[in-house]
Amino acid sequence: MSVKINEKWKEWLQPEFESGYFNAIRAYLYEAKANGKVIYPKGPDIFKAFDLTPPDELKVVILGQDPYHNPGEAMGLSFSVPAETRIPPSLKNIYKELYNDLDIKPPHHGDLTAWAHQGVFLLNAFLTVEKNQPASHRDIGWQQFTDAVIYKISDRKENVVFILWGNFARSKKSLIDTHKHLIIEAAHPSPLARTGFAGHKPFSQTNNYLSAHHIKPIDWAIP
């Protein structure tokens, strides 16, 4: 597995990378590819969130479940797609909330790299998926890995905003120290969730919290 990841994350996560369960993840992915399975995202992008947002610069965590499973969509950042790809329905609803919250006009693409560069850690709970098979890698060990990531962020940092959309993301609250961090939660932005996402103003809440703790707020406008 070709891994591109920030050196500080390597240091933080070395015990995980050297663990038996992580070796099992590697073995599973190698075998799947050897058997002709198509895995998303491509190898160099599996840890893209970790490469673009070093732990020292991390201010916000937006937790997704697993990568997009259609061709050309997954890029290693939760909810994000490459600029040339059609914007998925969940991200369209995120953009609607961004407009309603901060009056920021939605961009014409779905690449959230600009957020990642500002300290918004766009983490999926499962870092890979098989083509056209949503949640297909739910039980191969990724959840143990990303639970450790969330716990380490909570333990080692202060005043991080954790944005948890949907029941799956909200199930991770027990990993987060609410005395040190802010949790913002709502329904999933998917149209299937129907209600409970619109109007919760996560972007202004985040920036108000960061500013109150003398941390530079996020410029949520996407160029």
Side-chain angles (χ1 to χ4, degrees):
M1 187 161 51
S2 173
V3 171
K4 189 181 179 191
I5 181 170
N6 175 271
E7 289 299 321
K8 191 69 176 179
W9 277 120
K10 284 184 184 176
E11 182 185 314
W12 272 36
L13 299 171
Q14 186 177 3
E16 309 306 318
F17 288 135
E18 294 176 351
S19 68
Y21 81 83
F22 199 87
N23 286 331
I25 295 173
R26 282 195 192 96
Y28 182 95
L29 294 177
Y30 280 130
E31 184 176 355
K33 289 182 179 180
N35 290 331
K37 301 281 180 68
V38 177
I39 307 297
Y40 298 134
K42 58 189 177 183
D45 287 341
I46 291 174
F47 286 90
K48 191 167 195 171
F50 296 82
D51 198 47
L52 296 184
T53 310
D56 293 349
E57 298 174 19
L58 188 155
K59 303 175 184 179
V60 182
V61 178
I62 298 181
L63 184 64
Q65 186 164 324
D66 62 342
Y68 296 116
H69 56 86
N70 295 317
E73 293 184 341
M75 59 179 291
L77 304 175
S78 63
F79 297 103
S80 181
V81 293
E84 66 276 6
T85 301
R86 179 183 61 86
I87 300 172
S90 292
L91 185 52
K92 283 184 179 179
N93 281 340
I94 291 169
Y95 284 168
K96 284 180 188 174
E97 182 64 13
L98 180 62
Y99 179 73
N100 291 335
D101 187 1
L102 294 177
D103 204 29
I104 292 174
K105 201 170 178 182
H108 298 296
H109 65 85
D111 186 346
L112 304 180
T113 300
W115 291 358
H117 282 311
Q118 294 182 74
V120 181
F121 189 44
L122 297 163
L123 177 67
N124 278 315
F126 324 133
L127 298 188
T128 58
V129 70
E130 188 178 327
K131 179 183 177 181
N132 298 332
Q133 301 289 329
S136 48
H137 289 179
R138 183 186 190 108
D139 297 320
I140 71 168
W142 282 129
Q143 200 160 179
Q144 186 172 347
F145 176 76
T146 54
D147 280 1
V149 171
I150 294 165
Y151 178 80
K152 285 176 194 285
I153 293 169
S154 174
D155 185 53
R156 297 187 181 188
K157 293 186 67 70
E158 293 186 0
N159 306 132
V160 171
V161 180
F162 290 84
I163 298 178
L164 309 179
W165 289 327
N167 290 336
F168 177 82
R170 291 158 102 166
S171 73
K172 304 299 180 181
K173 284 192 291 184
S174 62
L175 301 168
I176 302 163
D177 184 346
T178 54
H179 295 100
K180 294 167 59 182
H181 307 288
L182 174 66
I183 293 176
I184 297 172
E185 54 184 303
H188 196 277
S190 167
L192 299 175
R194 299 194 179 177
T195 59
F197 182 77
H200 74 290
K201 300 186 181 299
F203 307 103
S204 59
Q205 280 195 72
T206 294
N207 280 355
N208 290 341
Y209 179 84
L210 294 175
S211 296
H213 291 88
H214 310 291
I215 300 166
K216 185 180 178 181
I218 306 299
D219 179 2
W220 294 104
I222 297 169

